[in-house]
Amino acid sequence: MSTASSNRPLLQSAIALVSALFLGAGGLLLGFGLMIPAVIALTLVGLELTPSLNIVLSLLFIQGVGCAGVAFSYVKARPAIAPWIRSKLGIVAESSVFDIPAEIPDLRDAITVGVGYCVALGGAILGSILITVAQQLTGTELETGTNQAAQIGMENPELLLLLIPASVLVIGPSEELLFRGVVQGRIREVFSPVPGILIPSAIFAGLHWFALTGGSASGNFVALGILLIPALVFGISYEYTDNIVVPSLIHGIYNATLFTMLYVVVAYGDQLPQQALLTVLF
């Protein structure tokens, strides 16, 4: 990833930040906005909106159209739009070409996927444990919200069997195309690697606030802090390999693991011995 030069660096930095936030939030809002009329239309024709259908529609519109669609549209539209915007603002940059590098992972990429997955999952689990211990030591209790997909899965465990492969095939790739490929790629054009990773990771984690149901403000803020750990891993792996397939695999396998754990707890929690459950969860 290379940074572009400009005769107006402060202005270009501000534009990069605003556009990155707009693209990240806009992708999710577009998907959600398209999903609403689809739900209304299906309801009007008498089709029952089951949890399974709700998950499928979410994958189609939010991950498919919202994340992946916006990412591909940005790559295609930027060469035509960026020069016009820059000319109006008096910005001189090296190039308007923007791409999202993707290739079959080599050995180094495969090792990065394995290490990244372990760090992301281990970091998230360790963060959760530390927060639990801190609450016990201080006698406080944080009420964290529940991810909407996880909540639906807890109520309908069979849907988790759909979300496990969907994590690798749809959720991971589509979200990484938008947040690492476009958002991080856009930020890295004008910022060095450290803020180029931190800023997109914070945007990614922050936007998950809207995926939480219930919980207190402080509890949800802490939950997003834990989510920042895997987000940083995704960003670092993309910076290191310059291959969007790598963070997509880490993200997808990470999510699939969490959904698998949740399925085991919900479906077999009453039947498995406590030690077996602890082994599966941790």
Side-chain angles (χ1 to χ4, degrees):
M1 299 179 188
S2 62
T3 56
S5 62
S6 171
N7 62 328
R8 304 182 68 180
L10 291 178
L11 177 59
Q12 190 170 7
S13 297
I15 293 174
L17 289 171
V18 172
S19 60
L21 180 58
F22 176 79
L23 287 164
L28 297 179
L29 288 174
L30 173 63
F32 186 73
L34 292 175
M35 183 176 169
I36 293 176
V39 169
I40 294 174
L42 292 175
T43 303
L44 291 176
V45 298
L47 189 62
E48 181 184 359
L49 187 64
T50 64
S52 299
L53 180 58
N54 187 57
I55 290 293
V56 171
L57 290 174
S58 176
L59 292 173
L60 174 62
F61 287 104
I62 298 179
Q63 271 74 32
V65 178
C67 292
V70 167
F72 284 121
S73 297
Y74 178 78
V75 172
K76 292 294 184 182
R78 175 169 154 149
I81 298 175
W84 180 83
I85 295 176
R86 285 171 177 163
S87 67
K88 295 298 182 182
L89 297 175
I91 295 174
V92 177
E94 291 179 351
S95 174
S96 294
V97 175
F98 187 96
D99 66 345
I100 302 176
E103 58 185 18
I104 297 174
D106 57 18
L107 179 58
R108 185 192 69 159
D109 293 340
I111 293 174
T112 304
V113 170
V115 173
Y117 164 75
C118 293
V119 173
L121 186 63
I125 291 174
L126 179 60
S128 299
I129 293 175
L130 291 176
I131 290 172
T132 300
V133 171
Q135 290 182 85
Q136 292 175 345
L137 291 177
T138 59
T140 60
E141 183 175 352
L142 288 174
E143 184 183 356
T144 58
T146 304
N147 181 278
Q148 294 176 21
Q151 183 63 44
I152 295 175
M154 291 174 65
E155 297 169 356
N156 306 270
E158 68 280 359
L159 291 183
L160 294 171
L161 299 178
L162 169 64
L163 288 171
I164 292 170
S167 295
V168 179
L169 300 175
V170 180
I171 300 174
S174 61
E175 292 189 0
E176 290 307 300
L177 278 170
L178 180 61
F179 287 98
R180 248 54 61 179
V182 170
V183 175
Q184 183 166 323
R186 183 70 184 90
I187 292 292
R188 277 291 283 118
E189 287 186 309
V190 294
F191 288 93
S192 61
V194 173
I197 293 171
L198 288 174
I199 296 171
S201 298
I203 292 174
F204 175 79
L207 288 175
H208 276 73
W209 180 285
F210 303 100
L212 298 175
T213 57
S216 63
S218 58
N220 289 344
F221 184 78
V222 170
L224 297 182
I226 295 175
L227 179 59
L228 188 61
I229 297 173
L232 288 171
V233 173
F234 305 154
I236 292 171
S237 69
Y238 185 48
E239 176 70 30
Y240 175 65
T241 63
D242 201 25
N243 183 2
I244 196 64
V245 176
V246 173
S248 297
L249 287 173
I250 299 173
H251 189 162
I253 299 171
Y254 170 86
N255 275 20
T257 301
L258 297 182
F259 284 129
T260 300
M261 289 180 173
L262 184 58
Y263 177 78
V264 171
V265 171
V266 174
Y268 303 106
D270 294 334
Q271 303 172 22
L272 292 177
Q274 182 178 10
Q275 188 57 47
L277 260 181
L278 292 176
T279 301
V280 171
L281 289 172
F282 299 104

